[in-house]
Amino acid sequence: MSELNQHIASAFDRDLEGIQAQILKMGGLVEVAISDAAKSLETRDEELAEQVRRGDKAIDAMEEALNEEAARVIALRAPTARDLRVVLAVMRISGNLERIGDLSKNMAKRTGVLAQMSPISGSTAALRRMARDVEMMLKDALDAYIKRDAALAQDVIERDAEVDQMYNTLFREFLTFMLEDPRNITSCMHLHFIAKNIERMGDHVTSISEQVIFMATGRKPDEPRMKGDRTSTDPTLSADIEVE
Amino acid sequence: MSELNQHIASAFDRDLEGIQAQILKMGGLVEVAISDAAKSLETRDEELAEQVRRGDKAIDAMEEALNEEAARVIALRAPTARDLRVVLAVMRISGNLERIGDLSKNMAKRTGVLAQMSPISGSTAALRRMARDVEMMLKDALDAYIKRDAALAQDVIERDAEVDQMYNTLFREFLTFMLEDPRNITSCMHLHFIAKNIERMGDHVTSISEQVIFMATGRKPDEPRMKGDRTSTDPTLSADIEVE
């Protein structure tokens, strides 16, 4: 790169770095939201759940601020098509983070209801493990974003299959609990909901990783995304339980 | 407005009109997706469901194109802070439309599985009515967008409470069916999922309407959004069914 190009690039790059710092701050809040939501569920800590719900407003406000800052940068720097795509990728990442924050909030909302029901053996611990995996994936996706590390981002995408597998296993388990004792039905409905929420968080982390790969390589991952929730399309997965 | 201002405004406005046309086209596809997904479920039409799934790719591509066009307009016109917010609002609307398309696809995905199970009396017809309400809300939200009609947008927001109410009713009904006969559990899990998907579509239409109000009045609706899914937080709603 010529010295002139370096000079031209730097103003835009400095702006991007400012946005990057905001993304990391937002990502940090979202990591805490995932972790606290899952913890509140396992320990039946309604105060912590309330904290997650309140905290989501700050995450929403950060997305708003990030979008406005990104738009300001576009208006100010009139970036090239390539740079424009980078800014759009960052806006998408902030959108994904906001959605993960929302899903954490939704998970925390159910803490109060579930705290009043008999626990389903092992379920909240399993959900917390699943949430921790997603949290680690998010941490690595953000690391990959800072380092423009496509290999790490690809690794995160592959780990999402494990989260999907955990969801499929839990779906079966909840069905079994419900069939064994109808008194488990209501709580299992809520727990299934939470499992699905966490599985969707994994999809959003995957989407962040895809944006990172695009920023690092200029190419979108062309492999079609593995859809891991087989419960929606695999008849055997649910049918073999139904006929028990 | 002075003649000069009109002249200055017009280039940006023409760009916005182009974007508006794309939003309407995208909105039309999303309306069809909602309707076809619900129809495929009720008539057990797996081919129609497959069509919805395939059609979602076109909706995703339109969101991508819209975002790039919006970014191009920002870069080219360097709009004022006020106009910038309008472009950002439009980008959000396209994001909401894309999410509704996704939710329709998710609904259609379950047609195949449910077609292999005994039907739950009246449930797919009720889901289709709920989907139709959301479709009409979306139609009106897009009309309100073209006309910058804040009153119509506000009306759409208020109608979302009815959709939420339909979801709450269905949630109770599915619990009752599951308690009555464990063989209903698997299908009710899927049906509950679909009901929740439609309820979330309503939330996205509400979000579109909020953007419209902002574009029409320059103010965000300051009333906190009514959260209609009381099943996540109202213990009595689920508890009174559990103790039956």
Side-chain angles (χ1 to χ4, degrees), chain A residues 64 92 109 113 116 178 183 189-190 193 196 200 220 231-232 235 242, chain B residues 64 67 109 113 116 178 183 189-190 193 196 200 220 231-232 235 242:
Chain A
E64 186 101 356
R92 261 183 214 152
K109 267 189 190 172
V113 176
Q116 294 169 54
M178 288 195 275
R183 283 173 301 180
M189 290 276 276
H190 288 293
F193 222 92
K196 184 70 189 176
R200 285 177 50 230
K220 302 208 169 173
T231 66
S232 63
E242 198 197 29
Chain B
E64 185 101 357
N67 277 341
K109 268 189 190 172
V113 177
Q116 295 170 52
M178 290 195 275
R183 283 172 300 179
M189 290 277 276
H190 289 293
F193 222 90
K196 184 70 189 173
R200 286 178 49 232
K220 302 208 172 176
T231 67
S232 64
E242 198 196 29

PDB file of all heavy atoms in Angstrom, chain A residues 64 92 109 113 116 178 183 189-190 193 196 200 220 231-232 235 242, chain B residues 64 67 109 113 116 178 183 189-190 193 196 200 220 231-232 235 242:
ATOM      1  N   GLU A  64     -28.597   1.543  19.069  1.00  0.00           N
ATOM      2  CA  GLU A  64     -29.081   2.801  18.481  1.00  0.00           C
ATOM      3  C   GLU A  64     -27.904   3.744  18.212  1.00  0.00           C
ATOM      4  O   GLU A  64     -27.733   4.272  17.116  1.00  0.00           O
ATOM      5  CB  GLU A  64     -30.051   3.451  19.486  1.00  0.00           C
ATOM      6  CG  GLU A  64     -30.753   4.681  18.985  1.00  0.00           C
ATOM      7  CD  GLU A  64     -32.171   4.367  18.541  1.00  0.00           C
ATOM      8  OE1 GLU A  64     -32.568   3.180  18.566  1.00  0.00           O
ATOM      9  OE2 GLU A  64     -32.864   5.289  18.157  1.00  0.00           O
ATOM     10  N   ARG A  92     -24.561  -4.783  11.160  1.00  0.00           N
ATOM     11  CA  ARG A  92     -25.239  -6.078  11.332  1.00  0.00           C
ATOM     12  C   ARG A  92     -24.807  -6.772  12.615  1.00  0.00           C
ATOM     13  O   ARG A  92     -25.612  -7.391  13.301  1.00  0.00           O
ATOM     14  CB  ARG A  92     -24.919  -6.978  10.153  1.00  0.00           C
ATOM     15  CG  ARG A  92     -26.053  -6.911   9.218  1.00  0.00           C
ATOM     16  CD  ARG A  92     -25.907  -7.799   8.050  1.00  0.00           C
ATOM     17  NE  ARG A  92     -26.554  -7.040   6.999  1.00  0.00           N
ATOM     18  CZ  ARG A  92     -26.267  -7.110   5.736  1.00  0.00           C
ATOM     19  NH1 ARG A  92     -25.331  -7.920   5.325  1.00  0.00           N
ATOM     20  NH2 ARG A  92     -26.914  -6.367   4.886  1.00  0.00           N
ATOM     21  N   LYS A 109     -36.912 -13.470  31.855  1.00  0.00           N
ATOM     22  CA  LYS A 109     -38.322 -13.248  32.174  1.00  0.00           C
ATOM     23  C   LYS A 109     -38.996 -14.490  32.726  1.00  0.00           C
ATOM     24  O   LYS A 109     -39.980 -14.400  33.450  1.00  0.00           O
ATOM     25  CB  LYS A 109     -39.069 -12.854  30.895  1.00  0.00           C
ATOM     26  CG  LYS A 109     -39.171 -11.387  30.647  1.00  0.00           C
ATOM     27  CD  LYS A 109     -40.123 -11.181  29.492  1.00  0.00           C
ATOM     28  CE  LYS A 109     -40.120  -9.760  29.013  1.00  0.00           C
ATOM     29  NZ  LYS A 109     -40.921  -9.656  27.762  1.00  0.00           N
ATOM     30  N   VAL A 113     -41.494 -17.304  36.806  1.00  0.00           N
ATOM     31  CA  VAL A 113     -42.530 -18.326  36.653  1.00  0.00           C
ATOM     32  C   VAL A 113     -41.984 -19.694  37.047  1.00  0.00           C
ATOM     33  O   VAL A 113     -42.608 -20.452  37.797  1.00  0.00           O
ATOM     34  CB  VAL A 113     -43.033 -18.375  35.189  1.00  0.00           C
ATOM     35  CG1 VAL A 113     -44.035 -19.495  35.014  1.00  0.00           C
ATOM     36  CG2 VAL A 113     -43.665 -17.051  34.805  1.00  0.00           C
ATOM     37  N   GLN A 116     -41.560 -20.835  40.665  1.00  0.00           N
ATOM     38  CA  GLN A 116     -42.742 -21.271  41.413  1.00  0.00           C
ATOM     39  C   GLN A 116     -43.155 -22.701  41.101  1.00  0.00           C
ATOM     40  O   GLN A 116     -44.162 -23.187  41.597  1.00  0.00           O
ATOM     41  CB  GLN A 116     -43.906 -20.321  41.096  1.00  0.00           C
ATOM     42  CG  GLN A 116     -43.647 -18.915  41.613  1.00  0.00           C
ATOM     43  CD  GLN A 116     -44.669 -17.938  41.067  1.00  0.00           C
ATOM     44  OE1 GLN A 116     -45.849 -18.168  41.201  1.00  0.00           O
ATOM     45  NE2 GLN A 116     -44.210 -16.857  40.473  1.00  0.00           N
ATOM     46  N   MET A 178     -42.514 -34.744  29.960  1.00  0.00           N
ATOM     47  CA  MET A 178     -43.930 -34.411  29.846  1.00  0.00           C
ATOM     48  C   MET A 178     -44.784 -35.668  29.725  1.00  0.00           C
ATOM     49  O   MET A 178     -45.876 -35.761  30.281  1.00  0.00           O
ATOM     50  CB  MET A 178     -44.170 -33.502  28.644  1.00  0.00           C
ATOM     51  CG  MET A 178     -43.633 -32.095  28.869  1.00  0.00           C
ATOM     52  SD  MET A 178     -44.271 -30.913  27.665  1.00  0.00           S
ATOM     53  CE  MET A 178     -43.130 -31.153  26.355  1.00  0.00           C
ATOM     54  N   ARG A 183     -47.790 -33.292  35.116  1.00  0.00           N
ATOM     55  CA  ARG A 183     -47.505 -32.117  35.953  1.00  0.00           C
ATOM     56  C   ARG A 183     -46.238 -31.394  35.503  1.00  0.00           C
ATOM     57  O   ARG A 183     -45.976 -30.271  35.905  1.00  0.00           O
ATOM     58  CB  ARG A 183     -47.401 -32.530  37.424  1.00  0.00           C
ATOM     59  CG  ARG A 183     -48.765 -32.772  38.067  1.00  0.00           C
ATOM     60  CD  ARG A 183     -48.615 -33.344  39.451  1.00  0.00           C
ATOM     61  NE  ARG A 183     -47.884 -34.618  39.400  1.00  0.00           N
ATOM     62  CZ  ARG A 183     -47.600 -35.362  40.473  1.00  0.00           C
ATOM     63  NH1 ARG A 183     -47.960 -34.953  41.671  1.00  0.00           N
ATOM     64  NH2 ARG A 183     -46.945 -36.495  40.335  1.00  0.00           N
ATOM     65  N   MET A 189     -42.724 -26.683  28.967  1.00  0.00           N
ATOM     66  CA  MET A 189     -43.019 -25.724  27.887  1.00  0.00           C
ATOM     67  C   MET A 189     -42.102 -24.505  28.024  1.00  0.00           C
ATOM     68  O   MET A 189     -41.533 -24.018  27.051  1.00  0.00           O
ATOM     69  CB  MET A 189     -44.475 -25.255  27.971  1.00  0.00           C
ATOM     70  CG  MET A 189     -45.499 -26.316  27.621  1.00  0.00           C
ATOM     71  SD  MET A 189     -45.764 -26.452  25.840  1.00  0.00           S
ATOM     72  CE  MET A 189     -46.962 -25.142  25.572  1.00  0.00           C
ATOM     73  N   HIS A 190     -41.991 -24.013  29.254  1.00  0.00           N
ATOM     74  CA  HIS A 190     -41.133 -22.849  29.473  1.00  0.00           C
ATOM     75  C   HIS A 190     -39.660 -23.189  29.233  1.00  0.00           C
ATOM     76  O   HIS A 190     -38.920 -22.419  28.619  1.00  0.00           O
ATOM     77  CB  HIS A 190     -41.310 -22.324  30.903  1.00  0.00           C
ATOM     78  CG  HIS A 190     -42.629 -21.650  31.124  1.00  0.00           C
ATOM     79  ND1 HIS A 190     -42.958 -20.470  30.502  1.00  0.00           N
ATOM     80  CD2 HIS A 190     -43.706 -21.990  31.876  1.00  0.00           C
ATOM     81  CE1 HIS A 190     -44.184 -20.108  30.879  1.00  0.00           C
ATOM     82  NE2 HIS A 190     -44.659 -21.021  31.710  1.00  0.00           N
ATOM     83  N   PHE A 193     -38.789 -23.477  25.692  1.00  0.00           N
ATOM     84  CA  PHE A 193     -38.689 -22.137  25.138  1.00  0.00           C
ATOM     85  C   PHE A 193     -37.315 -21.526  25.347  1.00  0.00           C
ATOM     86  O   PHE A 193     -36.722 -20.914  24.466  1.00  0.00           O
ATOM     87  CB  PHE A 193     -39.733 -21.259  25.820  1.00  0.00           C
ATOM     88  CG  PHE A 193     -40.319 -20.461  24.793  1.00  0.00           C
ATOM     89  CD1 PHE A 193     -41.441 -20.889  24.135  1.00  0.00           C
ATOM     90  CD2 PHE A 193     -39.658 -19.326  24.365  1.00  0.00           C
ATOM     91  CE1 PHE A 193     -41.924 -20.176  23.075  1.00  0.00           C
ATOM     92  CE2 PHE A 193     -40.137 -18.630  23.323  1.00  0.00           C
ATOM     93  CZ  PHE A 193     -41.277 -19.045  22.674  1.00  0.00           C
ATOM     94  N   LYS A 196     -34.713 -23.174  23.181  1.00  0.00           N
ATOM     95  CA  LYS A 196     -34.794 -22.667  21.804  1.00  0.00           C
ATOM     96  C   LYS A 196     -34.191 -21.259  21.711  1.00  0.00           C
ATOM     97  O   LYS A 196     -33.508 -20.930  20.741  1.00  0.00           O
ATOM     98  CB  LYS A 196     -36.261 -22.660  21.355  1.00  0.00           C
ATOM     99  CG  LYS A 196     -36.471 -22.247  19.904  1.00  0.00           C
ATOM    100  CD  LYS A 196     -35.958 -23.308  18.941  1.00  0.00           C
ATOM    101  CE  LYS A 196     -35.956 -22.806  17.512  1.00  0.00           C
ATOM    102  NZ  LYS A 196     -35.379 -23.771  16.570  1.00  0.00           N
ATOM    103  N   ARG A 200     -31.070 -20.115  19.381  1.00  0.00           N
ATOM    104  CA  ARG A 200     -31.117 -18.984  18.452  1.00  0.00           C
ATOM    105  C   ARG A 200     -30.002 -17.980  18.722  1.00  0.00           C
ATOM    106  O   ARG A 200     -29.501 -17.331  17.803  1.00  0.00           O
ATOM    107  CB  ARG A 200     -32.496 -18.328  18.477  1.00  0.00           C
ATOM    108  CG  ARG A 200     -33.504 -19.220  17.718  1.00  0.00           C
ATOM    109  CD  ARG A 200     -34.915 -18.671  17.756  1.00  0.00           C
ATOM    110  NE  ARG A 200     -34.958 -17.283  17.373  1.00  0.00           N
ATOM    111  CZ  ARG A 200     -35.566 -16.333  18.077  1.00  0.00           C
ATOM    112  NH1 ARG A 200     -36.171 -16.638  19.221  1.00  0.00           N
ATOM    113  NH2 ARG A 200     -35.565 -15.110  17.656  1.00  0.00           N
ATOM    114  N   LYS A 220     -17.989 -13.887   1.535  1.00  0.00           N
ATOM    115  CA  LYS A 220     -18.930 -14.463   2.491  1.00  0.00           C
ATOM    116  C   LYS A 220     -18.698 -15.963   2.532  1.00  0.00           C
ATOM    117  O   LYS A 220     -18.355 -16.556   1.510  1.00  0.00           O
ATOM    118  CB  LYS A 220     -20.369 -14.177   2.042  1.00  0.00           C
ATOM    119  CG  LYS A 220     -20.593 -12.693   1.904  1.00  0.00           C
ATOM    120  CD  LYS A 220     -22.015 -12.290   2.137  1.00  0.00           C
ATOM    121  CE  LYS A 220     -22.049 -10.776   2.233  1.00  0.00           C
ATOM    122  NZ  LYS A 220     -23.367 -10.208   2.304  1.00  0.00           N
ATOM    123  N   THR A 231     -35.510 -30.650  14.995  1.00  0.00           N
ATOM    124  CA  THR A 231     -36.840 -30.990  15.491  1.00  0.00           C
ATOM    125  C   THR A 231     -37.934 -30.422  14.609  1.00  0.00           C
ATOM    126  O   THR A 231     -39.051 -30.912  14.608  1.00  0.00           O
ATOM    127  CB  THR A 231     -37.076 -30.469  16.923  1.00  0.00           C
ATOM    128  OG1 THR A 231     -37.085 -29.042  16.910  1.00  0.00           O
ATOM    129  CG2 THR A 231     -36.000 -30.952  17.868  1.00  0.00           C
ATOM    130  N   SER A 232     -37.610 -29.373  13.823  1.00  0.00           N
ATOM    131  CA  SER A 232     -38.660 -28.776  13.003  1.00  0.00           C
ATOM    132  C   SER A 232     -38.912 -29.559  11.727  1.00  0.00           C
ATOM    133  O   SER A 232     -39.957 -29.437  11.111  1.00  0.00           O
ATOM    134  CB  SER A 232     -38.328 -27.316  12.664  1.00  0.00           C
ATOM    135  OG  SER A 232     -37.162 -27.239  11.889  1.00  0.00           O
ATOM    136  N   PRO A 235     -38.943 -35.863  11.043  1.00  0.00           N
ATOM    137  CA  PRO A 235     -40.129 -36.463  11.663  1.00  0.00           C
ATOM    138  C   PRO A 235     -39.750 -37.540  12.680  1.00  0.00           C
ATOM    139  O   PRO A 235     -40.427 -37.705  13.678  1.00  0.00           O
ATOM    140  CB  PRO A 235     -40.897 -37.051  10.482  1.00  0.00           C
ATOM    141  CG  PRO A 235     -39.920 -37.136   9.359  1.00  0.00           C
ATOM    142  CD  PRO A 235     -38.856 -36.122   9.605  1.00  0.00           C
ATOM    143  N   GLU A 242     -43.189 -39.808  20.166  1.00  0.00           N
ATOM    144  CA  GLU A 242     -44.647 -39.759  20.265  1.00  0.00           C
ATOM    145  C   GLU A 242     -45.274 -41.141  20.385  1.00  0.00           C
ATOM    146  O   GLU A 242     -46.287 -41.301  21.052  1.00  0.00           O
ATOM    147  CB  GLU A 242     -45.225 -39.034  19.050  1.00  0.00           C
ATOM    148  CG  GLU A 242     -46.643 -38.579  19.301  1.00  0.00           C
ATOM    149  CD  GLU A 242     -47.333 -38.248  18.005  1.00  0.00           C
ATOM    150  OE1 GLU A 242     -47.005 -38.823  16.957  1.00  0.00           O
ATOM    151  OE2 GLU A 242     -48.222 -37.400  18.041  1.00  0.00           O
TER     152      GLU A 242
ATOM    153  N   GLU B  64     -30.626  -7.281   1.784  1.00  0.00           N
ATOM    154  CA  GLU B  64     -29.218  -6.996   1.475  1.00  0.00           C
ATOM    155  C   GLU B  64     -29.132  -5.808   0.500  1.00  0.00           C
ATOM    156  O   GLU B  64     -28.413  -4.841   0.730  1.00  0.00           O
ATOM    157  CB  GLU B  64     -28.614  -8.256   0.838  1.00  0.00           C
ATOM    158  CG  GLU B  64     -27.139  -8.186   0.561  1.00  0.00           C
ATOM    159  CD  GLU B  64     -26.352  -8.937   1.639  1.00  0.00           C
ATOM    160  OE1 GLU B  64     -26.964  -9.437   2.604  1.00  0.00           O
ATOM    161  OE2 GLU B  64     -25.131  -8.995   1.504  1.00  0.00           O
ATOM    162  N   ASN B  67     -30.187  -2.483   2.089  1.00  0.00           N
ATOM    163  CA  ASN B  67     -29.179  -1.917   2.977  1.00  0.00           C
ATOM    164  C   ASN B  67     -28.064  -1.251   2.184  1.00  0.00           C
ATOM    165  O   ASN B  67     -27.571  -0.193   2.560  1.00  0.00           O
ATOM    166  CB  ASN B  67     -28.589  -3.015   3.873  1.00  0.00           C
ATOM    167  CG  ASN B  67     -29.465  -3.259   5.078  1.00  0.00           C
ATOM    168  OD1 ASN B  67     -30.294  -2.425   5.432  1.00  0.00           O
ATOM    169  ND2 ASN B  67     -29.302  -4.404   5.703  1.00  0.00           N
ATOM    170  N   LYS B 109     -41.598 -24.645   7.824  1.00  0.00           N
ATOM    171  CA  LYS B 109     -40.749 -25.816   8.062  1.00  0.00           C
ATOM    172  C   LYS B 109     -41.459 -26.897   8.858  1.00  0.00           C
ATOM    173  O   LYS B 109     -41.121 -28.062   8.771  1.00  0.00           O
ATOM    174  CB  LYS B 109     -39.515 -25.403   8.862  1.00  0.00           C
ATOM    175  CG  LYS B 109     -38.319 -25.018   8.043  1.00  0.00           C
ATOM    176  CD  LYS B 109     -37.150 -24.866   8.989  1.00  0.00           C
ATOM    177  CE  LYS B 109     -35.951 -24.256   8.309  1.00  0.00           C
ATOM    178  NZ  LYS B 109     -34.907 -23.957   9.299  1.00  0.00           N
ATOM    179  N   VAL B 113     -43.660 -31.964   9.361  1.00  0.00           N
ATOM    180  CA  VAL B 113     -43.725 -32.769  10.586  1.00  0.00           C
ATOM    181  C   VAL B 113     -45.166 -32.907  11.060  1.00  0.00           C
ATOM    182  O   VAL B 113     -45.630 -33.997  11.385  1.00  0.00           O
ATOM    183  CB  VAL B 113     -42.876 -32.118  11.708  1.00  0.00           C
ATOM    184  CG1 VAL B 113     -43.013 -32.912  12.988  1.00  0.00           C
ATOM    185  CG2 VAL B 113     -41.422 -32.039  11.294  1.00  0.00           C
ATOM    186  N   GLN B 116     -47.692 -35.311   9.499  1.00  0.00           N
ATOM    187  CA  GLN B 116     -47.603 -36.735   9.838  1.00  0.00           C
ATOM    188  C   GLN B 116     -48.251 -37.069  11.181  1.00  0.00           C
ATOM    189  O   GLN B 116     -48.220 -38.209  11.622  1.00  0.00           O
ATOM    190  CB  GLN B 116     -46.133 -37.164   9.859  1.00  0.00           C
ATOM    191  CG  GLN B 116     -45.497 -37.068   8.479  1.00  0.00           C
ATOM    192  CD  GLN B 116     -44.007 -37.253   8.531  1.00  0.00           C
ATOM    193  OE1 GLN B 116     -43.530 -38.215   9.091  1.00  0.00           O
ATOM    194  NE2 GLN B 116     -43.266 -36.321   7.975  1.00  0.00           N
ATOM    195  N   MET B 178     -52.565 -31.140  25.887  1.00  0.00           N
ATOM    196  CA  MET B 178     -51.468 -32.000  26.310  1.00  0.00           C
ATOM    197  C   MET B 178     -51.812 -32.736  27.593  1.00  0.00           C
ATOM    198  O   MET B 178     -51.477 -33.904  27.769  1.00  0.00           O
ATOM    199  CB  MET B 178     -50.185 -31.180  26.496  1.00  0.00           C
ATOM    200  CG  MET B 178     -49.611 -30.681  25.181  1.00  0.00           C
ATOM    201  SD  MET B 178     -47.915 -30.092  25.335  1.00  0.00           S
ATOM    202  CE  MET B 178     -48.193 -28.449  25.851  1.00  0.00           C
ATOM    203  N   ARG B 183     -50.592 -38.140  23.950  1.00  0.00           N
ATOM    204  CA  ARG B 183     -50.266 -38.303  22.528  1.00  0.00           C
ATOM    205  C   ARG B 183     -50.323 -36.979  21.775  1.00  0.00           C
ATOM    206  O   ARG B 183     -49.853 -36.870  20.652  1.00  0.00           O
ATOM    207  CB  ARG B 183     -51.219 -39.323  21.879  1.00  0.00           C
ATOM    208  CG  ARG B 183     -50.871 -40.764  22.230  1.00  0.00           C
ATOM    209  CD  ARG B 183     -51.933 -41.704  21.734  1.00  0.00           C
ATOM    210  NE  ARG B 183     -53.236 -41.376  22.354  1.00  0.00           N
ATOM    211  CZ  ARG B 183     -54.363 -42.034  22.093  1.00  0.00           C
ATOM    212  NH1 ARG B 183     -54.385 -43.036  21.238  1.00  0.00           N
ATOM    213  NH2 ARG B 183     -55.489 -41.678  22.690  1.00  0.00           N
ATOM    214  N   MET B 189     -46.356 -29.148  21.015  1.00  0.00           N
ATOM    215  CA  MET B 189     -45.079 -28.436  21.129  1.00  0.00           C
ATOM    216  C   MET B 189     -44.801 -27.665  19.825  1.00  0.00           C
ATOM    217  O   MET B 189     -44.397 -26.511  19.837  1.00  0.00           O
ATOM    218  CB  MET B 189     -43.931 -29.432  21.358  1.00  0.00           C
ATOM    219  CG  MET B 189     -43.936 -30.100  22.711  1.00  0.00           C
ATOM    220  SD  MET B 189     -43.157 -29.084  23.989  1.00  0.00           S
ATOM    221  CE  MET B 189     -41.428 -29.498  23.727  1.00  0.00           C
ATOM    222  N   HIS B 190     -45.020 -28.350  18.710  1.00  0.00           N
ATOM    223  CA  HIS B 190     -44.790 -27.684  17.417  1.00  0.00           C
ATOM    224  C   HIS B 190     -45.790 -26.541  17.205  1.00  0.00           C
ATOM    225  O   HIS B 190     -45.422 -25.464  16.746  1.00  0.00           O
ATOM    226  CB  HIS B 190     -44.902 -28.698  16.276  1.00  0.00           C
ATOM    227  CG  HIS B 190     -43.755 -29.660  16.227  1.00  0.00           C
ATOM    228  ND1 HIS B 190     -42.471 -29.259  15.929  1.00  0.00           N
ATOM    229  CD2 HIS B 190     -43.683 -30.990  16.447  1.00  0.00           C
ATOM    230  CE1 HIS B 190     -41.673 -30.318  15.956  1.00  0.00           C
ATOM    231  NE2 HIS B 190     -42.378 -31.385  16.276  1.00  0.00           N
ATOM    232  N   PHE B 193     -45.039 -23.544  19.160  1.00  0.00           N
ATOM    233  CA  PHE B 193     -43.936 -22.848  18.538  1.00  0.00           C
ATOM    234  C   PHE B 193     -44.385 -21.916  17.420  1.00  0.00           C
ATOM    235  O   PHE B 193     -43.943 -20.778  17.298  1.00  0.00           O
ATOM    236  CB  PHE B 193     -42.981 -23.886  17.952  1.00  0.00           C
ATOM    237  CG  PHE B 193     -41.666 -23.442  18.248  1.00  0.00           C
ATOM    238  CD1 PHE B 193     -41.040 -23.831  19.416  1.00  0.00           C
ATOM    239  CD2 PHE B 193     -41.082 -22.488  17.445  1.00  0.00           C
ATOM    240  CE1 PHE B 193     -39.836 -23.304  19.743  1.00  0.00           C
ATOM    241  CE2 PHE B 193     -39.889 -21.967  17.779  1.00  0.00           C
ATOM    242  CZ  PHE B 193     -39.258 -22.381  18.927  1.00  0.00           C
ATOM    243  N   LYS B 196     -46.162 -18.887  18.799  1.00  0.00           N
ATOM    244  CA  LYS B 196     -45.199 -17.909  19.314  1.00  0.00           C
ATOM    245  C   LYS B 196     -44.518 -17.170  18.148  1.00  0.00           C
ATOM    246  O   LYS B 196     -44.288 -15.958  18.214  1.00  0.00           O
ATOM    247  CB  LYS B 196     -44.161 -18.631  20.177  1.00  0.00           C
ATOM    248  CG  LYS B 196     -43.155 -17.714  20.855  1.00  0.00           C
ATOM    249  CD  LYS B 196     -43.802 -16.895  21.960  1.00  0.00           C
ATOM    250  CE  LYS B 196     -42.856 -15.828  22.491  1.00  0.00           C
ATOM    251  NZ  LYS B 196     -43.500 -14.927  23.445  1.00  0.00           N
ATOM    252  N   ARG B 200     -44.573 -13.164  17.485  1.00  0.00           N
ATOM    253  CA  ARG B 200     -43.370 -12.348  17.282  1.00  0.00           C
ATOM    254  C   ARG B 200     -43.418 -11.577  15.971  1.00  0.00           C
ATOM    255  O   ARG B 200     -42.876 -10.468  15.870  1.00  0.00           O
ATOM    256  CB  ARG B 200     -42.123 -13.214  17.380  1.00  0.00           C
ATOM    257  CG  ARG B 200     -41.850 -13.576  18.857  1.00  0.00           C
ATOM    258  CD  ARG B 200     -40.670 -14.475  19.041  1.00  0.00           C
ATOM    259  NE  ARG B 200     -39.511 -14.000  18.335  1.00  0.00           N
ATOM    260  CZ  ARG B 200     -38.789 -14.740  17.501  1.00  0.00           C
ATOM    261  NH1 ARG B 200     -39.112 -15.995  17.271  1.00  0.00           N
ATOM    262  NH2 ARG B 200     -37.758 -14.221  16.900  1.00  0.00           N
ATOM    263  N   LYS B 220     -40.507   9.435  18.574  1.00  0.00           N
ATOM    264  CA  LYS B 220     -40.754   8.006  18.777  1.00  0.00           C
ATOM    265  C   LYS B 220     -41.970   7.870  19.683  1.00  0.00           C
ATOM    266  O   LYS B 220     -42.173   8.705  20.564  1.00  0.00           O
ATOM    267  CB  LYS B 220     -39.548   7.353  19.438  1.00  0.00           C
ATOM    268  CG  LYS B 220     -38.307   7.546  18.595  1.00  0.00           C
ATOM    269  CD  LYS B 220     -37.296   6.461  18.778  1.00  0.00           C
ATOM    270  CE  LYS B 220     -36.217   6.682  17.727  1.00  0.00           C
ATOM    271  NZ  LYS B 220     -35.116   5.763  17.818  1.00  0.00           N
ATOM    272  N   THR B 231     -47.624 -15.175  29.211  1.00  0.00           N
ATOM    273  CA  THR B 231     -47.294 -16.518  29.702  1.00  0.00           C
ATOM    274  C   THR B 231     -45.899 -16.576  30.303  1.00  0.00           C
ATOM    275  O   THR B 231     -45.606 -17.449  31.097  1.00  0.00           O
ATOM    276  CB  THR B 231     -47.375 -17.580  28.579  1.00  0.00           C
ATOM    277  OG1 THR B 231     -46.349 -17.322  27.623  1.00  0.00           O
ATOM    278  CG2 THR B 231     -48.725 -17.560  27.908  1.00  0.00           C
ATOM    279  N   SER B 232     -45.026 -15.634  29.905  1.00  0.00           N
ATOM    280  CA  SER B 232     -43.661 -15.699  30.421  1.00  0.00           C
ATOM    281  C   SER B 232     -43.548 -15.132  31.825  1.00  0.00           C
ATOM    282  O   SER B 232     -42.612 -15.416  32.541  1.00  0.00           O
ATOM    283  CB  SER B 232     -42.688 -14.973  29.479  1.00  0.00           C
ATOM    284  OG  SER B 232     -42.986 -13.602  29.427  1.00  0.00           O
ATOM    285  N   PRO B 235     -47.672 -15.802  36.578  1.00  0.00           N
ATOM    286  CA  PRO B 235     -47.686 -17.169  37.099  1.00  0.00           C
ATOM    287  C   PRO B 235     -49.074 -17.778  37.092  1.00  0.00           C
ATOM    288  O   PRO B 235     -49.238 -18.966  36.856  1.00  0.00           O
ATOM    289  CB  PRO B 235     -47.140 -17.026  38.522  1.00  0.00           C
ATOM    290  CG  PRO B 235     -47.291 -15.585  38.868  1.00  0.00           C
ATOM    291  CD  PRO B 235     -47.302 -14.813  37.598  1.00  0.00           C
ATOM    292  N   GLU B 242     -51.793 -25.715  35.524  1.00  0.00           N
ATOM    293  CA  GLU B 242     -50.950 -26.808  36.022  1.00  0.00           C
ATOM    294  C   GLU B 242     -51.603 -27.575  37.161  1.00  0.00           C
ATOM    295  O   GLU B 242     -51.418 -28.780  37.284  1.00  0.00           O
ATOM    296  CB  GLU B 242     -49.602 -26.251  36.487  1.00  0.00           C
ATOM    297  CG  GLU B 242     -48.555 -27.336  36.596  1.00  0.00           C
ATOM    298  CD  GLU B 242     -47.380 -26.881  37.409  1.00  0.00           C
ATOM    299  OE1 GLU B 242     -47.534 -26.035  38.312  1.00  0.00           O
ATOM    300  OE2 GLU B 242     -46.291 -27.368  37.149  1.00  0.00           O
TER     301      GLU B 242
END
